[in-house]
Structure formats: C-alpha cells, structure tokens
C-alpha cells in the first residue's frame, strides 16, 4: 500500500484545488521557509483525523480554512482528500484504491468521507489501525517529533513499536472491549438501579395488588355478609313489620276510636260549651225573669191575699146583703100578703122604690165586687201560669246541668285514661331513651375499638412497608453485589485467557497427560507464575522483577530443560517456550526474596531471581519500588511494570479477584440472611396485620350493627316522645274550662234556691 495522491482545497495556504500525485518510491518536497511545506504534512495529519489545533499549528480548528488575502476573499470550507493504492490486502478491503476525505466549515461542522461516502471518524481510524498510518503513528512526523521520539521514555517509545508491530488495532479492540465492559458495568449498575426502582415499584404495586385483592375479597365477603345480614334483617324487619303492622292496625283502630271519641268529645265539648253559654245566657235571663216572677209572685200572693180578704169581706157583705135581700123579700112578701089585705098602695110603692133602690145599689155593688173578684182570679191564674213556666224551665235546666255533669264526668274519665296513657308513653320513652343511650355507648365503644384497630392496621402496614423496603434494599444490595461478583468473574475469565496478540505458549503442553516431551516423573516442577505468593504491598514489585520470566516453566535438571526446549523447537516451532532450572540459591539479607515466600522446590530459584533486588526508591544498586518501577544499577534508565498481561500478574490479579468475589459472596450470604430475617419479620407483620384487619372488620361490623340498633332505638325514642307529646296535647284539650265550672256551680246554687 502506498500514498497515491493528495488533493487539497481551502486548507491553510491552498486556496485553490491542488492535487499532488505520488509515484512509488521516495518523494521529497523542497522549498524555502514559509512556502507551505509543513501545510502538506498538516493536511495529511488533519485528514487522518487530528483533533488538536496545536498539532496543526493553529489556535482553533477553524484556522485551517483559508482566511483570505488582500486580493482574495476568505473561503468558508476546507477539504482534503487522500488516495491510497494497492491497499486491498493491507486494509482488508475489496477495493484497490481507497480515498478518504475530510471537510470542515467555519461554523465548526466536520464531515468525513470514505470513497466519497459519508462515514464516521471512527471508521477511518479503525480502517488504518495497525497499518502505521494515523495521527499518532510514526508515518506522519512533524517538526521536532523525531527528537521527541528518540529522547522519549520507554513507555512512550513502546507506542511507536506497537504501531510498527501492528498490535495497535488489537490494543484498541482491547480498550474498546474494556470500555464496552465498563459501559456494560455502568449499564448493569443503571439497570440494577432501574431494577431496584422497578422492584420497589413492583413491591409497592404488589402490596397495592395484595391490598386490592384483599379489598376485593373483603368486599366480596362484606357483600356476602351484607346480603346475609340484609336477609336476616329483612326477615327480622318483615316479622317486625308484620308485628308492627298488627300493632299499627291496632293503634290505627285505637287512633280512629280515639279520634272519633276526641271528635265526639270535641263536638260534645263544643255543644256543651254552646249549651253552657246559652244556659249562662238563659240563666241570666231566667234569673232576671225569676226575680221578676218572684216579685210578681210576691205581688200576686199579696193580691191574692188581699183579694181573698176582700172576697171574704165581699162574701160577708154579700151574705149580709143576701140576708137583707131575703129580709126585704120576706118583707115584700109580707107586704104583698098584707096588700092582699088591701093596704095603702102608695105606702108600699114608696117602700118598694126604696127597697128597689137599695136592691139596685146592692146589685151594683155585687156586680162591682164580682168583677173585681174575677180580675183577681185572672191575675192569680196568670201568676200560677208564670210559676208553672218557671217550674218547667227549672226542670229543663236541672236536666241540662245533669247532662253537663255527666259530660264532665266523661271528660274526667277520659283525662284519667289519657293521663295513664301519657304516663305509659313517658315510661316507654324513658325506657327507649335508656336503650338508645346504651346503644350509643356500645356504638361509641365499637367505634373506638374500630379506630384503635384501624390505627394498628395503619401502623402495621407502615411497619410492613418499612420491612418490605428493607427487603427491597437488601435485595438491591445483594443484586448489586451479584453484579459486582459477575463483573469480577467476567474480568477474571478475561484475565484467565491469553492476551490479544500474545504468542502461543508451548508450556501448556508440558501439562499434557500424554507427556509429549518424554519427561521423567518429577522433572517438571510447574510454572514460575505459581511459585511465589507475594504480600499485597509487594505484588507490583515482584511482577516487575519477574516480568522477563513470567512465562517460564521450572525444570528440576538442566537436561530435562534442554530436552523440553529441543522437543518444542522441533514439534512446535511457532510456539514459544521459556524454561528455568531450579538451582540452589540464597538471598542476601534485606533482599526482595527474603520478603516473598516461595512454594516448596522453588525456594532456590526464587532466591536467585529476587536476591539481587531490594525494595526502595532510587537507592544505590538495583532496587524496585512498591509500585513496580525498576531502578537499574547503571542508573541509565528505568522501566515501569507491564500492564498485567503476564501469567504471574494474571494469577495474582485472579487471586485478588477471587478474594473480592469471595468477600462479595460472603456479603451476599449476609444479605441473604438479612433478607430472610426481614422477610420473616415482614411475614410476621403480615400475619399480625391480617389478624388486626380481621379484628377491625369485626369491630366495624359490630359498630355498624350498633349504629343500626342506635338508629332504631333513637327512632323508637323519638316515636315515644312524639306519642307522649301528642297525649299531653290531647290531655290539655280535655281540660274543663274554669268559667264553665263556675257557671255550673252558680246554676246549681240558683237551682238550689
């Protein structure tokens, strides 16, 4: 693969489109200072994806766009295109020529093209990764970079060597994989957070669902209980209604009879009142008439007595007159008899006239006395008639008074009956009021019990929620530790595998039971990576010192070591094999070997390998720092420990990860125990909660029943009070007016007189 062409337009000093064509071989661009030679290398570095303005000798990235001159306006875009030829094998593409282009605008936007197709910068970098072409590779060097490379530290030069060796792509893949693992771990962490939140929400929803299910079951049970209670109450109410119907019919009949009696009584009272009023008026009138009649009766009696005296006088006088008349008649007869003797007629005529006059006067007096007697008799008859009329009226009023007394007696009896019923109604009211008070007290007690049970339910529900939250938090911590342990196991699995680009090791064939190397029993002691157990503080130091022999296998004798090397070179030439011989050695006092324990059989070899190193910082002689930095005796250079790709580092890292995983496992088990305890506590709280809920249901049902009894008792008490008030009102209506009593007493006195 070689660079075939470079096309520049609007980049720095290349205002016009410029195409540079490169043929195979070495090509040099020569020119005076300031002619733009470095702009060509900057253009190549820029199109390969350089993002640092300082690497392009600019203050900001927009400065790479042609900024104009006195005679030419600035441009708004810069574009550079690189064309590579014979690159199908190096780049792994099916094209013989590949062109990459980068376009930049003054607003800061950038666009990349691969074979004139828009792509990402990552696609271009990945395409040229491992080929030596790139912004940080050795293929593009700016001014002063050669000296920087020659004088750089070993770890800086290592990047150049790795780029030349073609392992950059694998390292990038490894970094990408690690980055993806980290992203995956972060995603797992976020996922665990989401799962914890969802689990918490699920727990809440589960609790709500349980509560809803319990509420549904309770509603169903309550509906059944309500139906059963309603049936029982309906049956009881039907019986009560039937009994109340009978009582109501009786009460209605009684009410009708009482109303009829009351109406009759009211009519009688009204009639009696009217009669009493008429009687009062009549009594007043009769009193006047009686007084007048009494006066007339007295006068009539006086007249009668006078008339009787006069009659007697007149009778005596009449009898005297009659005697005189009889005597006159006798004398007249004697005179007539004497006339027969022829008396003197004149004498008799005078006497006859005198007698006739006397007779006429007597007759007139008799007629006058007789007329006076007839008039007296007529007055007496009138007085007798008036007295008889008074007697009749007195009899009528005596009858009316007797009737009024009978009505009064009836009203008194009715008042006594109503008073008895009012007393019974008052007793019934007091009894039902007491029943209502007792029902109210029972309802209050049941309500208090229900409130206490409800508070207990709320408290237990809160405790159960807290316990559920503790369980959820413990489960979340357990899940987090499981994720951490899974990540550690994944890292351990990744570390247990060979590193990318690592050359195959023939040492693993030494462990083949078929013994392809033909070793005698006991010749192979094992890998050096498993020979030492350094303390945690010296792990980096031991890794740095043993890094050159990290892949070595330890043999007991030199002959077995040479045999293993010969067989490996003959049968597996593409695989590497590093062999050490276990020799005796003693580490000086204070050396690193004295601080690192070795497994049996490896003591001498470990003492020989670690005996020449001490732990320190830039001390005299060969020393190693605890962080893995080696200081050589010559003092000419220093080297940092590797990235942990050797077997010893992998083993130690795996052991550390195993310890972490074991600790996490213990923590998981502790969390499991805590979850079990919290779950048991939550179950116990749930049992108590269900028992308290049943207590609450019983108390609620008892409170509802007590409320029903209280309502019925209050209704009965109100009905009794209403009946009592009605009877008292009716009793007040049956009172005899005081005026009527006074009138009756006066009438009785008048009649008694």
């Amino acid at each position: 693969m070689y660079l075939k062409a470079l096309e520049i337009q609007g980049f720095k000093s290349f205002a016009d489109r410029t195409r540079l064509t490169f043929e195979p071989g070495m090509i040099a661009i020569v020119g005076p200072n300031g002619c733009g030679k470095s702009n060509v290398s900057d253009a190549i570095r820029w199109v390969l994806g350089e993002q640092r303005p300082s690497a392009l000798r600019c203050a900001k990235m927009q400065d790479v766009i042609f900024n104009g001159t006195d005679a030419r306006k600035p441009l708004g875009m810069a574009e550079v295109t690189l064309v590579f030829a014979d690159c199908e094998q190096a780049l792994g593409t099916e094209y013989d020529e590949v062109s990459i282009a980068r376009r930049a605008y003054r607003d800061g936007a950038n666009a990349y093209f691969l074979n004139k197709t828009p792509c990402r910068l990552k696609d271009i970098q990945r395409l040229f990764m491992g080929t030596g072409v790139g912004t940080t590779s050795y293929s593009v060097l700016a001014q002063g970079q050669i000296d920087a490379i020659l004088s750089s530290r070993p770890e800086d030069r290592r990047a150049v060597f790795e780029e030349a060796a073609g392992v950059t792509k694998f390292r990038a893949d490894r970094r990408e994989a690690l980055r993806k693992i980290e992203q995956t771990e972060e995603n797992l962490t976020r996922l665990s957070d989401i799962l914890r939140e969802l689990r918490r929400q699920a727990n809440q929803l589960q609790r709500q669902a349980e509560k809803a299910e319990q509420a549904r079951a309770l509603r169903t049970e309550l509906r059944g209980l309500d139906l059963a209670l309603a049936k029982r109450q309906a049956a009881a109410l039907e019986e009560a209604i039937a009994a109340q119907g009978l009582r109501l019919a009786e009460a209605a009949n009684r009410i009708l009879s009482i109303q009829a009696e009351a109406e009759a009584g009211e009519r009688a009272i009204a009639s009696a009142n009217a009669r009493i009023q008429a009687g009062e008026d009549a009594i007043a009138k009769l009193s006047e008439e009686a007084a007048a009649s009494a006066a007339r009766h007295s006068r009539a009696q006086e007249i009668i007595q006078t008339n009787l005296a006069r009659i007697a006088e007149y009778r005596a006088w009449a009898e005297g007159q009659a005697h005189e008349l009889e005597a006159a008649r006798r004398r007249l007869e004697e005179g007539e008899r004497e006339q027969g003797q022829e008396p003197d007629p004149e004498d008799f005529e005078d006497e006859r006239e005198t007698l006739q006059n006397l007779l006429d006067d007597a007759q007139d007096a008799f007629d006058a006395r007789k007329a006076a007697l007839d008039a007296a008799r007529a007055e007496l008859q009138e007085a007798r008639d008036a007295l008889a009329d008074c007697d009749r009226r007195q009899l009528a009023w005596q009858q009316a008074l007797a009737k009024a007394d009978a009505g009064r007696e009836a009203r008194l009896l009715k008042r006594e009956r109503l008073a008895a019923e009012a007393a019974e109604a008052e007793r019934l009211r007091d009894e039902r009021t007491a029943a209502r008070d007792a029902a109210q007290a029972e309802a209050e007690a049941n309500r208090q019990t229900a409130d206490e049970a409800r508070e207990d339910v709320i408290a237990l529900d809160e405790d159960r929620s807290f316990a559920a939250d503790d369980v959820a938090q413990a489960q979340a911590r357990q899940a987090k530790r499981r994720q951490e342990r899974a990540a550690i196991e994944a890292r351990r699995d990744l570390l247990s595998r060979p590193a990318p680009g690592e050359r195959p090791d023939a040492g693993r064939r030494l462990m083949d039971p078929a013994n392809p190397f033909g070793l005698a029993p006991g010749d192979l002691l094992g890998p050096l990576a498993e020979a030492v157990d350094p303390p945690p503080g010296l792990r980096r130091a031991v890794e740095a010192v043993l890094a050159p022999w990290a892949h070595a296998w330890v043999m007991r004798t030199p002959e077995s070591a040479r045999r293993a090397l010969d067989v490996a070179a003959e049968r597996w030439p593409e695989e590497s094999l590093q062999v050490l011989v276990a020799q005796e050695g003693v580490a000086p006092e204070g050396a690193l070997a004295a601080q690192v324990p070795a497994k049996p059989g490896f003591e001498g070899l470990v003492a020989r390998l670690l005996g020449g190193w001490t732990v320190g910082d830039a001390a005299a002689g060969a020393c190693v720092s605890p962080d893995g930095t080696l200081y050589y005796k010559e003092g000419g250079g220093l080297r940092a420990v590797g990235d942990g790709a050797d077997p010893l580092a992998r083993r130690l890292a795996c052991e550390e990860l195993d310890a972490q995983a074991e600790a996490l496992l213990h923590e998981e088990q502790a969390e499991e125990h805590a979850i079990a305890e919290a779950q048991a506590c939550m179950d116990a709280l749930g049992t108590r909660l269900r028992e308290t809920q049943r207590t609450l249901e019983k108390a609620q049902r008892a409170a509802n029943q007590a409320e029903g009894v209280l309502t019925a008792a209050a209704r009965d008490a109100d009905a009794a009070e209403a009946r009592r008030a009605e009877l008292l009102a009716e009793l007040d209506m049956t009172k005899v007016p005081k005026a009527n009593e006074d009138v009756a007493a006066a009438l009785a006195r008048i009649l008694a007189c």
Side-chain angles (χ1 to χ4, degrees):
M1 182 182 72
Y2 68 95
L3 179 62
K4 182 178 181 181
L6 172 64
E7 186 174 338
I8 308 173
Q9 180 183 4
F11 183 84
K12 290 192 175 183
S13 60
F14 294 92
D16 298 325
R17 183 179 295 273
T18 303
R19 182 180 178 87
L20 301 178
T21 303
F22 306 103
E23 297 296 336
M26 184 175 293
I27 297 177
I29 300 176
V30 183
N33 293 336
C35 67
K37 299 186 298 298
S38 298
N39 292 343
V40 176
S41 63
D42 291 343
I44 295 174
R45 183 184 295 273
W46 183 71
V47 74
L48 289 175
E50 181 61 60
Q51 302 296 323
R52 299 171 298 167
S54 59
L56 301 175
R57 300 174 296 131
C58 299
K60 58 183 182 295
M61 193 57 70
Q62 285 80 358
D63 293 342
V64 301
I65 303 174
F66 179 71
N67 205 22
T69 62
D70 295 339
R72 189 162 186 173
K73 294 181 179 180
L75 299 180
M77 179 193 72
E79 183 178 4
V80 176
T81 303
L82 280 179
V83 180
F84 293 91
D86 297 337
C87 56
E88 64 274 9
Q89 184 176 358
L91 298 181
T93 64
E94 58 183 2
Y95 302 105
D96 182 57
E97 288 186 0
V98 174
S99 65
I100 61 173
R102 180 177 181 179
R103 186 180 301 165
Y105 301 91
R106 287 198 177 274
D107 60 357
N110 280 270
Y112 297 90
F113 300 91
L114 181 60
N115 287 341
K116 298 182 180 181
T117 302
C119 64
R120 301 174 300 173
L121 173 60
K122 183 178 179 180
D123 298 332
I124 295 176
Q125 291 175 346
R126 190 164 186 82
L127 179 65
F128 290 98
M129 195 174 291
T131 61
V133 178
T135 58
T136 60
S137 65
Y138 60 89
S139 60
V140 181
L141 299 176
Q143 295 179 2
Q145 286 189 347
I146 296 177
D147 295 337
I149 292 175
L150 294 177
S151 62
S152 62
R153 296 182 301 172
E155 57 268 22
D156 296 334
R157 292 197 299 272
R158 180 177 181 175
V160 178
F161 297 153
E162 288 177 350
E163 182 69 26
V167 299
T168 307
K169 183 175 182 181
F170 301 107
R171 283 193 170 275
D173 292 341
R174 183 172 180 270
R175 285 195 300 272
E176 182 69 18
L178 292 176
R179 185 182 62 81
K180 289 182 178 180
I181 290 174
E182 291 177 357
Q183 290 180 353
T184 303
E185 291 178 353
E186 292 177 359
N187 292 334
L188 288 174
T189 303
R190 288 194 295 271
L191 182 60
S192 65
D193 295 337
I194 294 172
L195 288 174
R196 183 168 60 256
E197 180 65 23
L198 292 176
R199 192 176 293 110
R200 185 181 66 81
Q201 295 178 2
N203 291 331
Q204 292 180 356
L205 293 175
Q206 183 178 2
R207 290 196 297 272
Q208 294 176 2
E210 291 176 358
K211 291 180 181 178
E213 183 65 22
Q214 292 177 0
R216 186 184 64 79
L218 291 176
R219 281 197 297 270
T220 304
E221 183 180 0
L222 180 60
R223 189 179 298 110
L225 293 175
D226 286 340
L227 290 174
L229 180 61
K231 289 180 180 178
R232 293 176 60 186
Q233 290 180 350
L237 287 175
E238 287 178 356
E239 295 177 359
I241 287 170
Q244 291 294 334
L246 296 176
R247 294 178 59 187
L248 184 61
E250 295 175 358
N253 295 329
R254 290 180 61 191
I255 289 171
L256 291 176
S257 62
I258 291 172
Q259 287 178 351
E261 292 177 1
E263 291 176 358
E266 290 176 357
R267 288 194 298 271
I269 289 171
S271 177
N273 289 332
R275 289 196 303 271
I276 288 171
Q277 186 65 34
E280 290 176 355
D281 296 339
I283 287 170
K285 185 177 180 181
L286 287 174
S287 297
E288 295 176 358
E289 291 179 357
S293 297
R296 288 196 303 270
H297 184 271
S298 298
R299 287 194 302 270
Q301 290 291 338
E302 293 176 358
I303 293 169
I304 289 170
Q305 295 297 330
T306 303
N307 290 331
L308 289 174
R310 291 174 66 184
I311 289 170
E313 183 180 354
Y314 287 152
R315 282 178 180 174
W317 183 76
E319 288 179 357
Q321 291 294 327
H323 291 306
E324 288 180 0
L325 183 59
E326 187 63 33
R329 284 178 180 174
R330 283 193 306 268
R331 284 192 307 268
L332 181 59
E333 288 177 356
E334 290 177 358
E336 286 179 354
R337 280 189 310 266
E338 289 180 356
Q339 287 177 3
Q341 297 176 0
E342 295 180 2
D344 187 3
E346 290 179 2
D347 295 332
F348 286 106
E349 186 65 29
D350 292 335
E351 186 177 4
R352 187 185 64 79
E353 288 178 0
T354 303
L355 292 173
Q356 187 65 38
N357 290 331
L358 291 171
L359 182 62
D360 292 334
D361 292 335
Q363 187 67 40
D364 292 335
F366 179 78
D367 293 336
R369 294 292 180 90
K370 187 177 182 180
L373 182 60
D374 293 336
R377 287 178 177 174
E379 287 184 8
L380 181 60
Q381 187 64 38
E382 289 178 359
R384 288 177 177 173
D385 293 338
L387 185 59
D389 186 45
C390 287
D391 292 336
R392 285 194 300 272
R393 290 184 180 181
Q394 182 181 4
L395 180 60
W397 283 109
Q398 285 177 348
Q399 293 176 353
L401 182 60
K403 188 175 181 180
D405 290 337
R408 183 169 174 273
E409 290 295 331
R411 285 194 299 274
L412 290 175
L413 292 175
K414 184 176 181 181
R415 278 179 57 81
E416 292 177 358
R417 180 176 57 79
L418 291 175
E421 291 183 358
E424 179 65 20
E426 186 173 1
R427 186 192 64 78
L428 185 61
R429 182 204 62 179
D430 295 338
E431 181 181 349
R432 291 181 177 176
T433 302
R436 181 193 63 188
D437 296 338
Q440 186 173 3
E442 184 179 0
E444 288 294 336
N446 289 326
R447 278 197 295 268
Q448 184 177 1
T449 304
D451 293 338
E452 293 175 356
R454 189 176 294 105
E455 292 176 358
D456 293 340
V457 166
I458 294 172
L460 289 173
D461 190 30
E462 291 179 355
D463 294 340
R464 189 169 179 270
S465 300
F466 291 151
D469 293 337
D470 294 339
V471 170
Q473 293 175 2
Q475 289 176 348
R477 291 194 299 270
Q478 186 184 28
K480 182 178 180 181
R481 286 178 174 81
R482 285 177 180 172
Q483 293 172 1
E484 292 176 356
R485 189 160 59 87
I488 289 173
E489 291 176 355
R491 291 174 59 188
R492 188 189 185 288
D493 183 65
L494 184 64
L495 287 174
S496 63
R497 299 175 184 176
E502 184 178 352
R503 187 176 180 184
D505 187 9
R508 68 184 186 279
R509 302 183 185 274
L510 293 172
M511 305 300 294
D512 190 353
N515 194 9
F517 290 90
L519 298 176
D523 287 344
L524 178 64
L525 296 180
L528 180 63
E530 298 180 359
V532 293
D533 289 321
L538 299 178
R539 200 190 78 177
R540 292 290 185 184
V542 174
E543 288 181 11
V545 174
L546 296 182
W549 302 280
H551 298 273
W553 292 77
V554 181
M555 297 291 183
R556 187 177 299 277
T557 61
E559 291 77 9
S560 60
R562 282 194 296 271
R563 179 176 178 81
L565 291 173
D566 294 340
V567 173
E570 180 181 355
R571 298 183 61 178
W572 303 287
E574 72 281 359
E575 297 182 1
S576 64
L577 180 62
Q578 192 175 21
V579 180
L580 291 175
V581 179
Q583 299 177 354
E584 295 295 332
V586 178
E589 187 174 355
L592 178 61
Q595 306 178 34
V596 178
K599 290 184 178 181
F602 294 90
E603 296 88 348
L605 180 61
V606 172
R608 184 163 53 87
L609 294 177
L610 301 179
W613 296 88
T614 60
V615 180
D617 293 330
C623 63
V624 58
S625 65
D627 63 353
T629 303
L630 298 174
Y631 297 93
Y632 294 97
K633 185 179 299 185
E634 295 81 5
L638 53 91
R639 181 174 66 87
V641 70
D643 58 355
D646 57 81
L648 177 60
R650 287 201 296 268
R651 182 182 72 82
L652 295 177
C654 289
E655 291 177 356
E656 183 178 357
L657 292 176
D658 290 339
Q660 294 177 3
E662 185 69 21
L664 289 174
L665 181 60
H666 290 312
E667 292 179 359
E668 286 180 25
Q669 294 174 353
E671 292 294 344
E672 186 70 28
H673 183 65
I675 289 172
E677 291 181 352
Q679 188 68 41
C681 179
M682 187 172 66
D683 295 338
L685 289 174
T687 302
R688 290 181 56 194
L689 177 62
R690 288 189 292 272
E691 293 177 355
T692 309
Q693 284 177 345
R694 286 194 291 269
T695 304
L696 175 60
E697 293 168 4
K698 293 180 181 178
Q700 191 66 41
R701 287 195 295 269
N704 293 333
Q705 293 176 359
E707 288 289 343
V709 173
L710 175 61
T711 303
R715 185 171 59 250
D716 294 340
D718 294 339
E721 179 63 25
R723 177 60 180 165
R724 175 178 171 275
E726 181 181 355
L727 290 173
L728 290 177
E730 188 175 356
L731 186 61
D732 290 336
M733 292 176 61
T734 58
K735 287 183 179 179
V736 178
K738 188 70 170 60
N740 295 342
E741 294 180 356
D742 296 340
V743 170
L747 181 60
R749 287 196 298 272
I750 292 171
L751 293 176
C753 294

